[in-house]
Amino acid sequence: MRTSHIFRALPVQRAFIAFAPLFAAAIASPAVAQTSTPAQTDAIVLRPLSFFKVNDLDFGDIIASGTAGTVRIAPDGTRTRAGGATLAGNGGEPARFAGLGTPNRQVNISLGANSIFITGPGVRMRVRDFEIGSTPTAILSTTPTRFTIATSAGNYNFPVGATLEVGANQVPGDYAGTFTITLNYL
């Protein structure tokens, strides 16, 4: 005798069978979103009688007009203007340097040049009258200015400000340049 069985799936069974692979995939992999972001860490290990740049000289945002003007960043961070340059926002800061030397040791500090030019999309602009944040403040030049390392640990820092000459109708954009600070430990 031969027996045969005929199975007829019910509509609910068909729906379960159709969705079974989806349920299996959902159970197999959790629905948790994970992202990662790399971060950077820095350390500066100084050798004795050395220094480094902490931050750059930044004149901030400026609006030029039909008249030439100037923007000055003082070593204490004060930003002022003259002539046709208008200050925009609260940006701008002096350059800052730090280093390590011997307590009570004298150091000569000087510039590579008395003035530099920064370039961008328009006519270059001159930066002049670099000023070190000492007590009292002193205009820096290629002729060395002497100071004494006053802390008992030998660490020191100093800000440097300057004056930017903004041309009449200066083209908007980012302008950049470099200047060189030299320290000679005596």
Side-chain angles (χ1 to χ4, degrees):
M1 177 174 176
R2 198 169 161 186
T3 310
S4 91
H5 299 283
I6 299 172
F7 290 97
R8 186 172 184 198
L10 297 173
V12 173
Q13 290 172 329
R14 282 186 196 157
F16 179 75
I17 293 169
F19 287 108
L22 296 176
F23 288 130
I27 293 169
S29 60
V32 176
Q34 181 177 358
T35 62
S36 62
T37 301
Q40 183 175 335
T41 181
D42 294 315
I44 297 174
V45 178
L46 296 177
R47 67 179 202 273
L49 306 181
S50 64
F51 79 107
F52 64 97
K53 175 189 74 167
V54 176
N55 59 273
D56 291 317
L57 176 60
D58 180 3
F59 289 96
D61 295 333
I62 302 162
I63 300 170
S65 71
T67 306
T70 61
V71 174
R72 177 179 177 259
I73 294 289
D76 69 2
T78 304
R79 186 168 73 138
T80 56
R81 65 153 206 87
T86 300
L87 304 178
N90 294 324
E93 62 183 340
R96 184 163 301 281
F97 300 89
L100 179 65
T102 305
N104 299 316
R105 188 162 194 170
Q106 292 196 343
V107 179
N108 282 344
I109 180 171
S110 60
L111 288 168
N114 287 336
S115 67
I116 64 161
F117 288 94
I118 60 175
T119 58
V123 175
R124 66 187 189 165
M125 294 185 282
R126 186 169 84 134
V127 179
R128 60 176 168 79
D129 300 335
F130 289 88
E131 187 176 14
I132 184 172
S134 57
T135 306
T137 58
I139 298 294
L140 284 175
S141 69
T142 55
T143 304
T145 299
R146 185 170 291 173
F147 70 93
T148 301
I149 299 172
T151 65
S152 61
N155 59 323
Y156 60 88
N157 67 71
F158 59 92
V160 174
T163 299
L164 171 67
E165 295 176 353
V166 180
N169 300 312
Q170 189 74 43
V171 174
D174 291 333
Y175 291 77
T178 59
F179 65 101
T180 302
I181 296 279
T182 302
L183 265 62
N184 289 314
Y185 294 88
L186 305 176

